[in-house]
Amino acid sequence: MTIEVYGRVIDAFSAHFRVIIVELPAMGFSATTTNYAFGFRETNDDFASFLGNVAGKGSIFAFSCAASLAGLDIAARMPELASHLALIQAGGTEAFTIWKAGRDPKGILAKPIIGQLAMARMAPKRMPQWYGLSVGRKEQIPHFCTCAERSFTHGAMWSLASAYQVYLDQRDELPQPQQPILSIWGAADRSHPVCNKHSLARLYDGVRTVTFEDLGHTPELEDPELVLAAILDFVET
């Protein structure tokens, strides 16, 4: 997903919040230094530095997919940065191990160098297939594809192989943060197995859950107003 598809999210959410859209390093046009190694703690510490300097203290982390692990880790170690966690299509370490296995059954992306070369070649071709698998509102797929194809043409990165090999290789489940947690799930997402649905609620105490049956892997993009309403209700109560 590229920055262009977040227009509706910004329009809806900015009526209630200061909105900052951010991605993990080495995704899209987020350039990194040559010594960046995709380490879990390394990445999260850099991410936390950005959040502290730009977002400030007491933010609401509405992080999606793999970035939700960063949210959990940062919130537990640096609790002053987050007031609430509204995590989308999120899970713990075990859930992402299951997700990785389903998305890379032959283990190609998990192999160093080979995975990176394969990803660089496959990324533009795989994008329509990925949207077909993960998006619930199918009429939005052409717009997502157009934005992604334009970004790839200009050199955008989709460093999924490196994320698989290093960042998502975290073995221990993360400790429960002290902040309230909302798990938002798009049930039309076929990239996750059913067993991953709201796995945070099985992992941590007191997790509140909201399911959108007709939305997919990125429900905040497919229907920003619905997701906004869920987050507002969560924060206010």
Side-chain angles (χ1 to χ4, degrees):
M1 295 299 185
T2 64
I3 191 67
E4 293 87 352
V5 301
Y6 282 85
R8 288 179 59 210
V9 174
I10 295 170
D11 288 344
F13 279 65
S14 60
H16 303 272
F17 303 107
R18 177 182 177 224
V19 183
I20 299 169
I21 307 295
V22 61
E23 179 60 280
L24 293 175
M27 298 294 182
F29 296 103
S30 300
T32 63
T33 58
T34 55
N35 61 351
Y36 175 60
F38 282 87
F40 187 76
R41 187 57 57 84
E42 166 197 19
T43 298
N44 294 350
D45 285 349
D46 283 349
F47 203 20
S49 177
F50 171 89
L51 293 169
N53 287 316
V54 177
K57 297 180 180 180
S59 298
I60 299 169
F61 290 176
F63 295 166
S64 176
C65 195
S68 65
L69 292 173
L72 291 165
D73 180 45
I74 294 168
R77 292 192 294 119
M78 307 171 204
E80 71 279 3
L81 292 180
S83 64
H84 299 74
L85 304 179
L87 304 179
I88 304 164
Q89 235 64 3
T93 299
E94 182 181 7
F96 277 103
T97 298
I98 296 170
W99 180 76
K100 279 198 309 178
R103 302 276 53 80
D104 185 29
K106 296 182 179 180
I108 295 173
L109 298 183
K111 296 178 181 177
I113 300 178
I114 293 175
Q116 278 78 3
L117 292 173
M119 193 67 216
R121 184 175 181 180
M122 289 191 310
K125 299 176 183 177
R126 284 283 298 273
M127 187 59 68
Q129 298 173 20
W130 164 249
Y131 289 140
L133 186 71
S134 63
V135 173
R137 301 275 177 89
K138 303 300 183 186
E139 69 277 8
Q140 298 180 5
I141 291 178
H143 175 56
F144 293 157
C145 284
T146 298
C147 292
E149 288 166 1
R150 183 169 60 242
S151 291
F152 279 129
T153 299
H154 289 284
M157 297 175 290
W158 191 17
S159 302
L160 193 60
S162 297
Y164 270 27
Q165 294 165 22
V166 186
Y167 186 78
L168 291 176
D169 200 33
Q170 176 79 7
R171 294 303 180 197
D172 297 330
E173 294 290 5
L174 297 166
Q176 176 159 0
Q178 66 186 30
Q179 296 88 342
I181 300 175
L182 172 67
S183 174
I184 299 172
W185 197 265
D189 174 17
R190 292 184 292 121
S191 75
H192 273 284
V194 175
C195 63
N196 275 3
K197 179 181 177 181
H198 296 311
S199 60
L200 288 180
R202 300 192 295 273
L203 189 60
Y204 303 126
D205 296 329
V207 174
R208 184 171 170 178
T209 63
V210 174
T211 302
F212 298 111
E213 295 294 340
D214 65 331
L215 302 182
H217 190 77
T218 49
E220 75 281 15
L221 297 178
E222 296 177 44
D223 197 326
E225 290 78 14
L226 273 180
V227 174
L228 170 63
I231 292 177
L232 283 172
D233 183 61
F234 167 61
V235 171
E236 291 169 356
T237 58

